[in-house]
Amino acid sequence: MARRWTNDLTWNDVTPKSHWLNRRQIIAGALGAAGAASIGGPLAAQVDNDNLQPNTFEEITTYNNFYEFGTSKEDPARYAGQLTTQPWSIQVDGMVDNPGDYALADLIDRLDVEERIYRFRCVEAWSMVIPWNGIELKDILERVGVQEGAKYVAFETLVRPSEMPGVRRAVLDWPYREGLRLDEAMHPLTIMATGIYGETIPNQNGAPIRLVVPWKYGFKSIKSIVRITLTDEEPPTSWNMANGREYGFYSNVNPNVDHPRWSQASERVIGGGLFAQRQPTLMFNGYENEVASLYEGMDLSEFY
Ligand SMILES: Nc1nc2c(c(=O)[nH]1)N[C@H]1C(S)=C(S)[C@@H](COP(=O)(O)O)O[C@H]1N2
Ligand SMILES: [Mo]
C-alpha cells in the first residue's frame, strides 16, 4: 500500500478526538491516494517512531507562539479569540500574472484540502505532532500565476492593534514577515493550513490561513496571512531582522547546528510529561528524503 506524506507517522501518532475516530478510515484512505499521486511512489519510513508521543487538540491549541497576542505560551489562547477572521482578504502582489486583493474564499475556492500529519519543531527546542488540514501552497501560487524571474515568496501577517494586544508593543517590527525560496514554496510538503483535526483552524494557531513548512523551524510557519508577494530578491524576515546572528533566512531544522544559546540536538515533546526524555531532533525534522535535494551545494554545517 502506498504511504502518505506523513511517511512514518500514522493516525495512531495523534490522539484522536472522539468524533475524529469515526472519520479515520475515510481520511486515511483519501490521503493515501493523494500522497501517492504527488510523490510518485512509496515513501520509506526513516526512523522508528514507536516512542513518539501524540499531541492532543488541547495541547496544540493552548501552547502557542503568536506574539501579536503576547509573548507567553498562554497568551494566544487567551487573547486570539477576539480576532475577526471574517471577512478576510489577502493581497497578492509583485511578480504575478493576477495580482489583487483576493477574498480568501476566492483564493482557495475548489483547491484540494488535504490532511497532513507533520512534525512541528520550534527553534526553542520543543516539538509536537500536528494533524493539519491545508492546501498545497503550490496550488495557490499556480492560481495567481508566478511570473518568470520570481525567485522568492514573501508573506505578511495582519496587524490590527484593536484586536491584537501584542502589536501595541514593539517586540518585533510588525507586521510579522516571512519568506521562502520559490522552490521551497512550490514543494508539495509546503501547505497553507486552514484546519487542525478536521476543524477550522483556531485563531491562536493562525486563523484563517497560515503557512506550514514542516522541515523548517516553526517561526517560518507564519500565521494569519494577509499578503503574499512574489519577488526576485530574498525578502526580509522578522526573526532574521530582529536577530540575524541567531535566526537565518533558511532555518532548516538541523540537529548538528546549535543555536548560539542552546543545543538543537534534541527536543522536548509537548505533552510528554515532566519527566519525559527529550527525543533526538532529526535532520530536516525527519523530511530529509523529501527536501535535502533542495539544498544541494549548500554547506549544511553552516548557519543560514
Ligand atoms: N504571525 C506570527 N506567526 C508566527 C509566530 C508569531 O509570533 N506571529 N510565531 C511562530 C513560531 S516561533 C512558532 S513555533 C509557530 C507556532 O505555531 P503554533 O502556535 O500553531 O504551534 O508559529 C510561528 N508563526
Ligand atoms: Mo517557534
Side-chain angles (χ1 to χ4, degrees), residues 252 254 256-257 283-284 292 295 298-304:
N252 294 316
N254 186 340
N256 307 314
V257 178
M283 189 65 196
F284 293 110
Y295 308 103
M298 273 170 82
D299 180 356
L300 297 177
S301 68
E302 287 287 310
F303 167 81
Y304 287 104

Side-chain angles (χ1 to χ4, degrees), residues 60 63-68 120-124 126 128 130 132 157 172 174 176 196 204-206 210 217-224 239:
I60 296 166
Y63 186 92
N64 301 100
N65 275 333
F66 199 166
Y67 278 18
E68 285 85 340
F120 190 87
R121 171 59 158 81
C122 175
V123 73
E124 297 163 337
W126 53 263
M128 298 197 198
I130 305 182
W132 304 104
T157 295
L172 289 170
W174 314 111
Y176 194 101
I196 291 175
Q204 59 266 40
N205 294 91
R210 61 90 59 87
Y217 290 119
F219 67 84
K220 297 293 294 181
S221 293
I222 181 174
K223 297 178 169 183
S224 305
W239 280 105

Side-chain angles (χ1 to χ4, degrees), residues 99-247:
D101 231 328
Y102 287 82
L104 174 58
D106 294 337
L107 194 61
I108 65 176
D109 182 42
R110 285 171 289 113
L111 297 180
D112 289 341
V113 179
E114 295 187 19
E115 309 280 346
R116 299 285 177 93
I117 310 168
Y118 285 160
R119 289 189 202 78
F120 190 87
R121 171 59 158 81
C122 175
V123 73
E124 297 163 337
W126 53 263
S127 70
M128 298 197 198
V129 175
I130 305 182
W132 304 104
N133 311 95
I135 296 153
E136 287 185 8
L137 175 57
K138 175 174 178 281
D139 291 347
I140 295 176
L141 294 178
E142 280 170 359
R143 173 162 288 184
V144 298
V146 177
Q147 291 184 342
E148 201 161 308
K151 293 194 178 73
Y152 296 90
V153 189
F155 305 86
E156 287 181 16
T157 295
L158 177 74
V159 184
R160 189 181 287 155
S162 61
E163 293 181 349
M164 294 173 149
V167 304
R168 296 173 207 154
R169 292 172 47 217
V171 182
L172 289 170
D173 181 5
W174 314 111
Y176 194 101
R177 272 163 271 203
E178 259 310 333
L180 296 172
R181 218 170 55 188
L182 187 59
D183 58 346
E184 299 175 323
M186 299 295 274
H187 193 283
L189 282 177
T190 303
I191 59 166
M192 293 282 267
T194 53
I196 291 175
Y197 269 114
E199 297 194 5
T200 300
I201 192 167
N203 289 357
Q204 59 266 40
N205 294 91
I209 191 162
R210 61 90 59 87
L211 184 67
V212 178
V213 193
W215 70 93
K216 292 178 179 283
Y217 290 119
F219 67 84
K220 297 293 294 181
S221 293
I222 181 174
K223 297 178 169 183
S224 305
I225 293 166
V226 292
R227 187 175 180 194
I228 301 175
T229 307
L230 276 291
T231 164
D232 56 2
E233 279 172 32
E234 187 183 291
T237 56
S238 286
W239 280 105
N240 183 251
M241 290 191 295
N243 190 341
R245 209 178 70 83
E246 298 192 353
Y247 308 105

